[in-house]
Amino acid sequence: ISFLLYDFLPLKQRERIILFLEVHMKLFLDSANIEEIKRANEFGIICGVTTNPSIIAKEGKDFKEMIQQMTQIIDGPISGEVKPTTEEAKDMIREGRSIASLHPNMVVKLPTTPEGLKACHVLSKEGIKTNLTLVFSVPQALLAARAGATYVSPFIGRIDDISMDGLQLIKDIAQIFKIYNLSTQIICASIRNAYHIIGCAKTGADIATVPYSIIEQMVKHPLTDKGLEKFKNDYIAVFGE
Ligand code: E4P
């Protein structure tokens, strides 16, 4: 079906086509906690992991060891960030190569700074996957895409925290990437609630990276609990245990 024609189709038909093409927003887990990664993986809903220096520091364990454990659980992209103390591109490149050598699924996470962009440019040319993080504006996302980033990570929650609209940023980036057919994938980051996930999915973003607590929020609904309780009581009343 031509994409020109697609734009004129009613919403219902578009949804069917999207399902048919199996285009959907993937979920990554935003955590370095091995137990959380195992639990989320058992749900069968996550296909990647993102970490950052704060998340890694929270666990307080050896970076390489943690990454190796993750690669044994998750068969998908795992973002490992260069140290926040690494400031120059040449050092980011060296560190990035070492992160990439840990496992074929590794993605090198770099800050969206001039030095980060330089490192992204070099690493991408070497075929190393990159994730440009701490993206707070459309121009930053565009520069990251132009530098060859595999992924960009715009931070929704931290934008909301300064009374701006985080989801609007995702919408704008998604729209512009689509217009110019840019292959860089959008990882919606800094997700604080299930509403953010709905908003991200509506923009057609590729991925949302979610803390484990939000996955718990997503599955929970008071009417599900209430309904299950009623099913249980009705069943027991007639059939016993
Ligand atoms: C993304 O890759 C980051 O790890 C993360 O989403 C940051 O979220 P926060 O703003 O809740 O720390």
Side-chain angles (χ1 to χ4, degrees):
I1 183 156
S2 130
F3 280 94
L4 262 181
L5 188 61
Y6 175 87
D7 279 338
F8 290 102
L9 288 173
L11 213 60
K12 268 268 162 273
Q13 285 186 32
R14 285 194 204 181
E15 279 168 8
R16 269 188 222 125
I17 290 168
I18 287 172
L19 282 176
F20 172 69
L21 293 171
E22 284 194 287
V23 178
H24 55 264
M25 187 178 72
K26 291 179 188 152
L27 292 178
F28 286 4
L29 190 71
D30 200 23
S31 173
N33 183 290
I34 299 300
E35 282 314 307
E36 285 183 354
I37 295 172
K38 276 187 193 156
R39 265 183 270 145
N41 189 47
E42 280 169 6
F43 291 147
I45 49 148
I46 59 160
C47 35
V49 171
T50 53
T51 65
N52 66 36
S54 305
I55 286 175
I56 292 285
K58 196 170 151 200
E59 300 306 312
K61 296 182 197 149
D62 178 67
F63 176 76
K64 284 188 185 167
E65 211 176 286
M66 274 193 275
I67 294 288
Q68 255 140 22
Q69 282 182 292
M70 288 178 204
T71 59
Q72 281 161 21
I73 306 166
I74 298 291
D75 183 21
I78 296 174
S79 288
E81 193 157 338
V82 295
K83 288 186 197 135
T85 46
T86 307
E87 284 168 9
E88 288 186 33
K90 63 172 177 30
D91 300 319
M92 290 182 191
I93 294 165
R94 193 175 18 85
E95 226 180 286
R97 285 180 186 140
S98 145
I99 292 172
S101 72
L102 294 175
H103 192 276
N105 283 345
M106 286 313 292
V107 175
V108 178
K109 214 169 170 193
L110 297 159
T112 311
T113 58
E115 293 302 299
L117 287 177
K118 279 191 227 167
C120 173
H121 177 60
V122 173
L123 293 172
S124 304
K125 283 200 160 179
E126 291 176 10
I128 291 176
K129 293 202 172 75
T130 52
N131 174 358
L132 272 277
T133 189
L134 291 167
V135 168
F136 292 96
S137 73
V138 177
Q140 284 182 315
L142 268 176
L143 291 176
R146 286 295 175 218
T150 318
Y151 304 98
V152 284
S153 292
F155 278 41
I156 303 174
R158 293 194 198 184
I159 292 184
D160 288 356
D161 289 347
I162 57 160
S163 303
M164 289 178 73
D165 188 349
L167 280 172
Q168 186 59 48
L169 174 64
I170 305 287
K171 276 183 214 158
D172 292 341
I173 297 173
Q175 188 187 359
I176 292 169
F177 278 18
K178 193 179 165 201
I179 293 172
Y180 295 107
N181 207 16
L182 296 174
S183 60
T184 301
Q185 295 182 51
I186 303 169
I187 303 184
C188 306
S190 188
I191 301 256
R192 300 278 163 77
N193 50 56
Y195 172 73
H196 277 161
I197 309 274
I198 301 168
C200 293
K202 280 184 179 172
T203 68
D206 305 280
I207 299 145
T209 189
V210 191
Y212 187 76
S213 58
I214 306 294
I215 291 181
E216 285 180 321
Q217 260 186 43
M218 285 167 76
V219 74
K220 202 96 184 121
H221 197 288
L223 290 181
T224 306
D225 296 342
K226 204 177 156 196
L228 197 57
E229 193 56 31
K230 181 169 166 26
F231 284 163
K232 213 193 322 184
N233 292 339
D234 292 349
Y235 184 89
I236 289 172
V238 176
F239 300 108
E241 295 291 322

